[in-house]
Amino acid sequence: MQNTRLNNLFSTIARSVEQWFVNPWRRLSLLLISWLFGFFMGSAVSTTAGQKAELDMVSAAFLVLLTEITSRIFYSRRFLARQALWVETLNFLKVGFIYSLFLEAFKLGS
């Protein structure tokens, strides 16, 4: 890639954000926010899909596909040596999403 001003700006911003999240409390807060957002997304998806009642199987298959792709990215050998922040955040988003769907299923079953 060419060394342009825009490329240098993006590299500088990425380095500064990475340095900002080196702090364990900031990293933990970002992961917690990601988990809570996944929980919210799971609740929102289940209520809207239940109200609409169209293409339930297609949307469920799409959501399973997304969670499996996320698991494949997180648990691949390439990322086990060095866990990137975006991969860890994506995994926490997935965990919150799945947890929310389980809770919604338990609410519907009772």
Side-chain angles (χ1 to χ4, degrees):
M1 200 178 258
Q2 290 183 356
N3 195 11
T4 62
R5 278 188 255 172
L6 184 62
N7 196 11
N8 288 338
L9 178 67
F10 283 146
S11 299
T12 305
I13 290 172
R15 257 186 272 118
S16 65
V17 167
E18 184 180 337
Q19 282 296 103
W20 197 70
F21 282 117
V22 168
N23 185 345
W25 287 105
R26 289 181 186 145
R27 187 177 189 96
L28 183 64
S29 66
L30 179 69
L31 295 176
L32 181 65
I33 289 170
S34 176
W35 185 81
L36 289 172
F37 186 67
F39 191 84
F40 169 74
M41 289 296 295
S43 177
V45 163
S46 66
T47 55
T48 56
Q51 289 292 324
K52 191 78 170 160
E54 291 179 4
L55 300 171
D56 287 340
M57 296 301 289
V58 175
S59 62
F62 181 69
L63 293 175
V64 167
L65 181 72
L66 285 179
T67 56
E68 289 298 321
I69 289 171
T70 303
S71 295
R72 177 69 61 137
I73 290 171
F74 185 73
Y75 294 113
S76 68
R77 291 183 185 262
R78 194 170 41 149
F79 288 109
L80 284 179
R82 182 185 64 85
Q83 288 290 335
L85 181 63
W86 69 272
V87 174
E88 204 169 354
T89 305
L90 188 65
N91 189 46
F92 270 76
L93 183 85
K94 176 196 72 157
V95 169
F97 182 77
I98 292 173
Y99 182 64
S100 174
L101 288 180
F102 270 101
L103 283 181
E104 292 291 329
F106 284 139
K107 283 194 272 184
L108 287 175
S110 61

